[in-house]
Amino acid sequence: MKKQTIAPKRWWFIMPIVFITYSLAYLDRANFSFASAAGINDDLGITKGMSSLLGALFFLGYFFFQIPGAIYAERRSVKKLIFWCLILWGGCASLTGVVSNIPMLAAIRFILGVVEAAVMPAMLIYISNWFTKSERSRANTFLILGNPVTVLWMSVVSGYLIESFGWREMFIIEGIPAVIWAVAWWFLVQDKPAQARWMSEAEKAALQAELQKEQENIKAVRNYGEAFRNRNVIILCLQYFAWSIGVYGFVLWLPSILRNGTQMGMVEAGWLSAVPYLAATIAMVVVSWASDKTQNRKLFVWPLLLIGALAFLGSYLVGSDNFWLSYALLVIAGAAMYAPYGPFFAIIPEMLPRNVSGGAMALINSMGALGSFLGSWVVGYLNGATGSPSASYIFMGGALLVSVWLTLIVKPAQNKTPPLHGAKHA
């Protein structure tokens, strides 16, 4: 199809930049899980309950600043916003390595959430400026692959850094790349295709025409208030809230869960923590390709979340006595939870026009941040209070089941083709 071959070089220019940027954001938020497993609690006198709250504080900062960041990105510049965010979050991440008390750590975790808040919605807006509907699930997936791929290599590298130096040095070393990358970002990125020197005028015109054509088939929405009251947006907010409980309960506490399961060192826990993210990476690529091929988004979201829920509940039923079987089910849960991200974030730009879709994605992502806060706090609390991950498996599995139901009741976009029968629903 012609629209799939407009300026194929876009993939080679834009996707590596998008991937690296989100990878660095994810590195500086997820490495706290390794510090928790490696002794930061003992060194700073942090109780188990306080540890789960500190891990979750990031998401509170992340929650409050999603929508302002998205509005700035949509109306002003993704390039300028992300440039300053990279410098600030790299600095905050490195400062985590020099904290001497709990209030300092709490403040830095919250501020880190604030400066990273704009990254996800801004990058989704950036992608929607450069890629058409038939490409968007794959483009979103390359962005979000920065999440599992980063945890994949970070799990191993962080394990070695802690083993060789300590948790403080791990934070300092892993914060520096974001600041260096800010310089590269500034020189490599343009906000819109019209500004790209590496595209011909014919390619720019063809891409702009295709993007404009997509907007013509989407019902007009006047402002953010109207978009935020949209039935599908409200349901997707609740869905992403429940989904994120499972994802971030898993991400932040997997190393600790593994170390409690067997008496293993940080390097072994790092290698075992990496496996679910390897499986997730493969699943995300396959699922996003299939979603773009069929143009069906929901079909590639809810069945996978159901598999994730059943894997968590299976891990609970197997129990900690059968460590390797329980671990295998956790690998399946991790892969199944990550696989639907690309199709999920392709839903909104296909339902809402460009003037409000960025803000709607930010609202949905901010509710995900609230779910992440709850998931990381409650899972950490349950693990500490019960001395076992069993209760947290039930909690994460239950949250995923709720997200499955909410996905099923979302009404599909009405704009795949110009509608012949206005009242007809698929």
Side-chain angles (χ1 to χ4, degrees), residues 350-369:
E350 294 169 11
M351 288 181 174
L352 294 174
R354 183 169 304 200
N355 65 311
V356 293
S357 62
M361 287 191 288
L363 180 67
I364 291 165
N365 205 44
S366 68
M367 290 305 293

Side-chain angles (χ1 to χ4, degrees), residues 255-278:
S256 297
I257 287 170
L258 292 176
R259 288 199 80 188
N260 288 343
T262 60
Q263 296 305 307
M264 64 176 73
M266 277 309 301
V267 172
E268 291 89 344
W271 279 103
L272 285 180
S273 295
V275 175
Y277 301 103
L278 176 60

Side-chain angles (χ1 to χ4, degrees), residues 46-388:
I46 300 168
T47 64
K48 286 186 175 178
M50 179 59 72
S51 176
S52 62
L53 179 59
L54 286 168
L57 263 177
F58 167 90
F59 299 107
L60 212 52
Y62 196 75
F63 168 73
F64 284 115
F65 288 87
Q66 289 275 311
I67 294 172
I71 292 171
Y72 182 90
E74 209 160 42
R75 295 180 178 173
R76 299 287 185 84
S77 170
V78 173
K79 177 177 176 173
K80 289 177 184 174
L81 180 67
I82 299 295
F83 171 74
W84 288 109
C85 286
L86 277 160
I87 292 171
L88 290 169
W89 91 56
C92 283
S94 288
L95 281 174
T96 312
V98 298
V99 296
S100 57
N101 57 56
I102 295 171
M104 276 179 68
L105 180 58
I108 285 175
R109 288 297 293 171
F110 181 79
I111 294 166
L112 188 63
V114 169
V115 295
E116 282 193 25
V119 178
M120 180 71 163
M123 297 304 263
L124 289 167
I125 291 165
Y126 182 63
I127 284 169
S128 70
N129 289 338
W130 286 86
F131 293 94
T132 64
K133 180 180 173 181
S134 63
E135 304 166 319
R136 212 163 278 142
S137 178
R138 282 167 291 157
N140 289 345
T141 291
F142 275 104
L143 163 67
I144 300 161
L145 272 174
N147 172 327
V149 171
T150 301
V151 183
L152 177 64
W153 64 261
M154 182 209 74
S155 297
V156 178
V157 171
S158 296
Y160 277 109
L161 285 174
I162 289 169
E163 197 92 343
S164 303
F165 305 106
W167 62 265
R168 290 184 180 279
E169 289 78 4
M170 176 201 72
F171 279 125
I172 294 166
I173 292 166
E174 291 184 350
I176 294 168
V179 180
I180 296 170
W181 181 247
V183 179
W185 167 273
W186 185 258
F187 289 106
L188 290 170
V189 168
Q190 299 88 24
D191 278 305
K192 301 281 173 66
Q195 300 163 335
R197 295 177 183 174
W198 45 267
M199 284 174 71
S200 70
E201 292 305 315
E203 287 172 330
K204 292 177 189 177
L207 179 58
Q208 188 56 43
E210 185 61 42
L211 292 169
Q212 193 58 44
K213 185 180 169 187
E214 290 174 8
Q215 292 296 301
E216 289 167 7
N217 292 331
I218 300 176
K219 184 184 173 186
V221 176
R222 288 190 303 276
N223 52 40
Y224 288 118
E226 189 179 333
F228 293 171
R229 291 192 299 272
N230 179 287
R231 176 186 181 273
N232 280 338
V233 172
I234 293 168
I235 293 171
L236 289 171
C237 283
L238 296 172
Q239 190 271 10
Y240 199 48
F241 174 85
W243 179 2
S244 298
I245 285 174
V247 172
Y248 282 91
F250 182 84
V251 169
L252 273 179
W253 298 106
L254 182 62
S256 297
I257 287 170
L258 292 176
R259 288 199 80 188
N260 288 343
T262 60
Q263 296 305 307
M264 64 176 73
M266 277 309 301
V267 172
E268 291 89 344
W271 279 103
L272 285 180
S273 295
V275 175
Y277 301 103
L278 176 60
T281 302
I282 297 165
M284 285 176 77
V285 172
V286 172
V287 165
S288 66
W289 175 84
S291 173
D292 273 348
K293 198 80 172 169
T294 63
Q295 287 294 292
N296 190 325
R297 306 306 186 193
K298 278 174 60 173
L299 185 62
F300 293 96
V301 178
W302 72 264
L304 288 150
L305 295 179
L306 180 60
I307 291 169
L310 295 175
F312 273 132
L313 297 174
S315 203
Y316 160 71
L317 292 171
V318 165
S320 55
D321 293 339
N322 298 297
F323 175 78
W324 290 108
L325 180 55
S326 178
Y327 171 70
L329 287 165
L330 288 180
V331 172
I332 293 168
M337 282 192 298
Y338 274 98
Y341 273 120
F344 179 80
F345 280 108
I347 291 172
I348 286 296
E350 294 169 11
M351 288 181 174
L352 294 174
R354 183 169 304 200
N355 65 311
V356 293
S357 62
M361 287 191 288
L363 180 67
I364 291 165
N365 205 44
S366 68
M367 290 305 293
L370 211 54
S372 304
F373 172 78
L374 186 67
S376 52
W377 187 9
V378 174
V379 168
Y381 173 78
L382 290 173
N383 290 346
T386 64
S388 156

Side-chain angles (χ1 to χ4, degrees), residues 3-62:
K3 65 184 175 184
Q4 292 177 312
T5 58
I6 299 169
K9 67 185 85 168
R10 285 172 301 141
W11 292 92
W12 298 103
F13 272 83
I14 293 168
M15 282 300 111
I17 295 169
V18 161
F19 175 81
I20 291 168
T21 305
Y22 194 60
S23 290
L24 291 172
Y26 213 79
L27 166 66
D28 290 336
R29 77 178 70 162
N31 56 9
F32 186 78
S33 64
F34 280 83
S36 294
I40 188 172
N41 298 349
D42 295 336
D43 291 352
L44 297 181
I46 300 168
T47 64
K48 286 186 175 178
M50 179 59 72
S51 176
S52 62
L53 179 59
L54 286 168
L57 263 177
F58 167 90
F59 299 107
L60 212 52
Y62 196 75

Side-chain angles (χ1 to χ4, degrees), residues 357-423:
S357 62
M361 287 191 288
L363 180 67
I364 291 165
N365 205 44
S366 68
M367 290 305 293
L370 211 54
S372 304
F373 172 78
L374 186 67
S376 52
W377 187 9
V378 174
V379 168
Y381 173 78
L382 290 173
N383 290 346
T386 64
S388 156
S390 296
S392 58
Y393 292 156
I394 295 173
F395 177 64
M396 290 187 281
L400 289 180
L401 287 175
V402 172
S403 73
V404 168
W405 172 68
L406 289 166
T407 309
L408 286 168
I409 63 171
V410 170
K411 292 180 180 175
Q414 301 293 304
N415 59 311
K416 289 184 179 177
T417 57
L420 298 173
H421 306 291

